[in-house]
Amino acid sequence: MRELAIEIGVRALLFGVFVFTEFLDPFQRVIQPEEIWLYKNPLVQSDNIPNRLMFAISFLTPLAVICVVKIIRRTDKTEIKEAFLAVSLALALNGVCTNTIKLIVGRPRPDFFYRCFPDGVMNSEMHCTGDPDLVSEGRKSFPSIHSSYSFVGGVIGLIFAYICYRQHYPPLANTACHKPYVSLRVPTSLKKDERPPADSTPGEPLEGITEGPL
């Protein structure tokens, strides 16, 4: 129970760090006047897939797959628990890492110009006149959190998914790669029972074998 509490605590801490980084301002890259055309795409008022829906899909889809596998294969509670721990750790680490890179890189979005200058008029000092929150979010283009959370198009998501999988499961080349380490452990009591009885006459030579030099 103590180990489970620690696992849950680690994930809660990572989730808190993820939420905290969501509100931090990224690095402000200097945009040269000759490259401003790269960021003059029309302002996107809302994403095709809102963040809330994206987070829900990223979290619920793996859990749904785990539940379906449990029903089909009739796996025990231990395997389900380990699968949930691996998925939750991958999601938390992926979010923290993606947001950290966003803050360090500070790459503008394609619609950054109209976030910075809503009226379309750029001043010579390049001082943004738009909503500060909208401008700050406009500097968090890379890496895409939608891609990283998809685990399919995001390299970051794939890396953390595999790392967290290996924390709880054997390598994919192993024939028991679908079984968590906890299920593969042999209890100590069984190991003792399986030990062969000690030979009561270790000093007696085997039949047909003579002692001493020939």
Side-chain angles (χ1 to χ4, degrees), residues 40-199:
K40 283 190 172 182
N41 284 23
L43 179 63
V44 176
Q45 299 295 338
S46 60
D47 296 324
N48 293 330
I49 300 179
N51 284 341
R52 291 183 180 179
L53 178 59
M54 182 267 298
F55 288 132
I57 293 174
S58 300
F59 183 73
L60 296 178
T61 301
L63 300 187
V65 173
I66 293 171
C67 292
V68 170
V69 172
K70 173 179 171 55
I71 295 173
I72 296 176
R73 299 180 62 90
R74 297 181 181 179
T75 54
D76 56 26
K77 294 181 179 179
T78 301
E79 294 185 24
I80 296 299
K81 182 193 73 174
E82 293 298 313
F84 273 66
L85 289 175
V87 169
S88 58
L89 182 60
L91 291 171
L93 283 174
N94 180 64
V96 172
C97 181
T98 301
N99 273 4
T100 302
I101 297 176
K102 280 177 176 286
L103 296 175
I104 294 174
V105 174
R107 181 175 179 177
R109 297 183 184 274
D111 61 356
F112 178 75
F113 178 85
Y114 291 104
R115 290 172 180 261
C116 187
F117 307 109
D119 55 1
V121 179
M122 181 179 65
N123 53 61
S124 57
E125 295 83 9
M126 290 289 292
H127 290 164
C128 293
T129 57
D131 180 12
D133 292 336
L134 196 62
V135 173
S136 178
E137 188 63 28
R139 294 183 181 272
K140 299 178 181 179
S141 175
F142 177 85
S144 170
I145 198 166
H146 286 75
S147 296
S148 63
Y149 265 108
S150 70
F151 293 116
V152 176
V155 176
I156 297 175
L158 285 173
I159 291 174
F160 279 113
Y162 182 74
I163 290 175
C164 296
Y165 159 81
R166 289 290 286 110
Q167 294 296 313
H168 298 271
Y169 291 83
L172 293 174
N174 194 305
T175 55
C177 62
H178 62 290
K179 290 279 188 179
Y181 287 124
V182 176
S183 298
L184 297 176
R185 292 174 186 168
V186 180
T188 307
S189 58
L190 293 180
K191 288 184 178 180
K192 292 181 179 179
D193 295 339
E194 293 175 358
R195 289 178 181 174
D199 192 354

